[in-house]
């Protein structure tokens, strides 16, 4: 299909989605990882509402209208679609709960995008409408009587759904579209740090609670060894590491923090550990002796975490050390407390799955510590050694 792209952009062609996605009810989606059978009906309202909070963050970003690549919707366009999906499924649920085996009217999602001018809508308005639509359909799921989950309805193409299977199908749609715009989570988190550099620098210092971790890490190294730091931030840990006798390559995905470090006279690189070249640009063939990644990889998407660990292993010498600290817990969460006002996405880990990810990426875990954080959270502090 074709439609008017955002102001200033060339007319782009969006390929209509003609796939029949009903197979996701029977097996895991190989793209977004959604497993329909793992979702019980009682969890539908909670997940629908949680999903909506992500879109609220993405639509508040300055680049919500931007397409990351030609022919693919922007976060705004995806959000407008998700809003309409909630509305359509709300209508269908009401039919199923009040009529005997209704046949649903056809809904052409691609035509709806053109007619509704998704690209030209106001992100703030779409955010509010999406939250309202999500809450409305979640309320319907909450009020389904126990004996009504099996009531049936038929799509215009003949596919038959129960209330429960329609709910799972609905949920995959909105979960999958969050996966489609997963890069927006990274952009929003980085933007939150960029906007709070001055506050972060002024209100933080080297945490003495990390002293034992840093000393244990340094015990794996020799004076003069070269350490790659991922997520240097204001640079407190780098100074402490250098005071311990090693050399540190400071890197951060935040351009704001990198600019701050450079004004302080430090060499620093803006680097994404998922996609950028991690090698030392001065001596690209010489591996690092170790990697320090304190409270930074907790923003890496779960599906990308193993890739990042593997890339870090590739640039570290056999026997080299790795320090990683992450928050313990389940799932992920947007947080806007602490030294950064805007929301940041945190991904939580349990020790067993963290150990498995490290092992698969080529790291032998030496120890995993559990430490209480200042906000009532628990941190997993990892020391590992590069297998070789």
């Amino acid at each position: 299909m074709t439609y008017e792209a955002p102001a200033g952009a060339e007319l782009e062609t969006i390929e209509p989605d003609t796939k029949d996605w009903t197979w996701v009810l029977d097996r895991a989606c190989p793209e977004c990882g959604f497993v329909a059978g793992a979702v019980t009906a009682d969890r539908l309202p909670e997940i629908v509402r949680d999903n909506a909070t992500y879109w609220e963050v993405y639509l508040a970003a300055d680049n919500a209208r931007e397409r990351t690549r030609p022919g693919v919707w922007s976060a705004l366009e995806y959000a407008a679609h998700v809003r309409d999906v909630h509305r359509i499924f709300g209508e269908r649920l009401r039919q199923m709960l009040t009529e005997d085996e209704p046949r649903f009217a056809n809904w052409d999602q691609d035509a709806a995008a053109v007619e509704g001018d998704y690209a030209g809508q106001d992100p703030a308005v779409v955010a509010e409408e999406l939250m309202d639509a999500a809450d409305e359909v979640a309320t319907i799921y909450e009020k389904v009587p126990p004996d009504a989950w099996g009531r049936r309805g038929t799509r215009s193409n003949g596919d038959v759904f129960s209330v429960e299977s329609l709910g799972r199908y609905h949920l995959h749609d909105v979960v999958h579209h969050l996966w489609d715009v997963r890069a927006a989570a990274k952009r929003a988190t980085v933007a939150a740090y960029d906007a709070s550099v001055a506050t972060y620098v002024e209100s933080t210092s080297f945490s003495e609670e990390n002293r034992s971790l840093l000393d244990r890490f340094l015990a794996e190294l020799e004076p003069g060894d070269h350490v790659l730091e991922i997520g240097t931030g204001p640079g407190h840990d780098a100074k402490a590491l250098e005071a311990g006798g090693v050399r540190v390559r400071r890197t951060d995905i935040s351009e704001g923090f990198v600019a701050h470090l450079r004004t302080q006279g430090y060499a620093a690189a803006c680097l994404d550990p998922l996609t950028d070249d991690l090698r030392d640009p001065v001596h690209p063939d010489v591996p690092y002796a170790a990697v320090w990644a304190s409270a930074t990889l907790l923003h890496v998407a779960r599906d990308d975490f193993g890739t990042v660990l593997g890339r870090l292993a590739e640039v570290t010498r056999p026997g080299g050390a790795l320090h990683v600290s992450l928050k313990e817990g389940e799932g992920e969460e947007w947080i806007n407390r602490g030294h950064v006002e805007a929301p940041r996405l945190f991904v939580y880990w349990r020790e067993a799955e963290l150990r498995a990810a490290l092992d698969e990426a080529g790291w032998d875990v030496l120890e995993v510590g559990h430490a209480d954080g200042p906000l009532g959270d628990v941190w997993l502090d990892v020391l590992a050694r590069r297998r070789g």
Side-chain angles (χ1 to χ4, degrees):
M1 72 177 191
T2 59
Y3 71 102
E4 289 297 326
E10 296 180 359
L11 188 68
E12 296 172 344
T13 299
I14 303 293
E15 183 178 349
D17 185 357
T18 58
K19 299 176 185 175
D20 181 357
W21 287 93
T22 52
W23 54 265
V24 300
L25 296 172
D26 301 317
R27 59 185 187 273
C29 177
E31 295 179 358
C32 70
F34 179 82
V35 181
V39 180
T40 54
D42 62 298
R43 294 193 62 219
L44 288 171
E46 171 194 358
I47 300 175
V48 166
R49 290 191 176 104
D50 285 348
N51 179 278
T53 63
Y54 283 74
W55 295 104
E56 189 176 34
V57 174
Y58 298 161
L59 290 171
D62 293 338
N63 55 10
R65 296 181 181 276
E66 296 177 11
R67 293 183 178 177
T68 57
R69 58 187 188 277
V72 176
W73 276 347
S74 64
L76 169 60
E77 292 165 286
Y78 272 116
H81 169 71
V82 168
R83 173 203 59 201
D84 289 352
V85 165
H86 287 318
R87 290 171 172 174
I88 291 295
F89 277 82
E91 292 174 5
R92 292 177 176 178
L93 285 167
R94 292 187 189 93
Q95 282 185 271
M96 296 173 78
L97 294 170
T98 58
E99 303 175 20
D100 290 331
E101 300 194 3
R103 188 175 185 86
F104 309 134
N106 180 56
W107 181 57
D108 187 330
Q109 63 182 30
D110 301 297
V114 177
E115 295 166 5
D117 185 23
Y118 284 177
Q121 295 192 22
D122 183 335
V125 173
V126 172
E128 183 176 356
E129 292 175 342
L130 190 154
M131 294 292 287
D132 289 344
D135 183 63
E136 187 172 336
V137 74
T139 300
I140 296 174
Y141 285 124
E142 287 174 334
K143 295 182 178 180
V144 174
D147 61 351
W149 286 103
R151 292 180 66 89
R152 306 199 315 171
T154 305
R155 203 163 57 170
S156 58
N157 66 353
D159 291 331
V160 178
F161 292 89
S162 66
V163 171
E164 184 172 3
S165 66
L166 187 76
R168 289 177 174 152
Y169 185 75
H170 170 202
L171 190 57
H172 169 259
D173 196 313
V174 298
V175 167
H176 194 97
H177 290 317
L178 270 189
W179 179 85
D180 284 323
V181 297
R182 58 198 180 282
K186 179 189 292 186
R187 293 197 301 271
T189 298
V190 173
Y193 280 108
D194 283 339
S196 302
V197 171
T199 302
Y200 204 97
V201 171
E202 292 173 3
S203 58
T204 61
S205 60
F206 177 72
S207 173
E208 286 301 324
E209 287 79 6
N210 285 341
R211 178 64 63 182
S212 61
L213 297 172
L214 187 138
D215 289 344
R216 179 71 180 86
F217 178 79
L218 290 172
E220 296 286 320
L221 306 175
E222 297 292 336
D225 274 346
H226 198 191
V227 175
L228 170 64
E229 184 177 24
I230 300 296
T232 305
H236 304 314
D237 289 2
K239 290 180 182 179
L241 288 166
E242 288 175 335
V246 298
R247 296 177 296 121
V248 178
R249 183 187 180 204
R250 293 164 168 82
T251 74
D252 203 291
I253 196 172
S254 163
E255 293 183 356
F257 275 127
V258 169
H260 165 74
L261 292 166
R262 289 173 178 170
T263 63
Q264 302 301 304
Y266 296 104
C270 192
L271 183 150
D272 183 341
L274 178 64
T275 58
D276 293 334
D277 188 346
L278 302 179
R279 296 175 298 172
D280 179 358
V282 179
H283 302 289
D285 297 327
V286 179
Y288 298 101
V291 176
W292 181 267
S294 181
T296 180
L297 299 187
L298 76 181
H299 298 305
V300 174
R302 193 176 306 278
D303 290 346
D304 295 329
F305 187 70
T307 300
V308 170
L309 291 177
R311 299 187 81 236
L312 294 175
E314 290 173 0
V315 296
T316 305
R317 71 188 182 193
L322 169 70
H323 164 71
V324 174
S325 58
L326 304 163
K327 289 192 177 189
E328 184 179 48
E330 302 286 347
E332 54 190 43
E333 180 182 18
W334 286 100
I335 295 177
N336 60 348
R337 61 181 183 268
H339 305 295
V340 178
E341 293 184 0
R344 297 161 290 159
L345 184 63
F346 286 77
V347 179
Y348 299 120
W349 289 85
R350 294 295 184 189
E351 181 176 341
E353 61 176 343
L354 178 55
R355 284 179 175 272
L358 286 157
D359 178 72
E360 186 174 352
W363 298 96
D364 291 327
V365 177
L366 301 180
E367 56 190 59
V368 178
H370 295 247
D372 292 333
L375 301 176
D377 42 15
V378 176
W379 288 81
L380 300 174
D381 297 312
V382 175
L383 180 65
R385 187 177 291 149
R386 170 75 164 91
R387 192 178 303 134

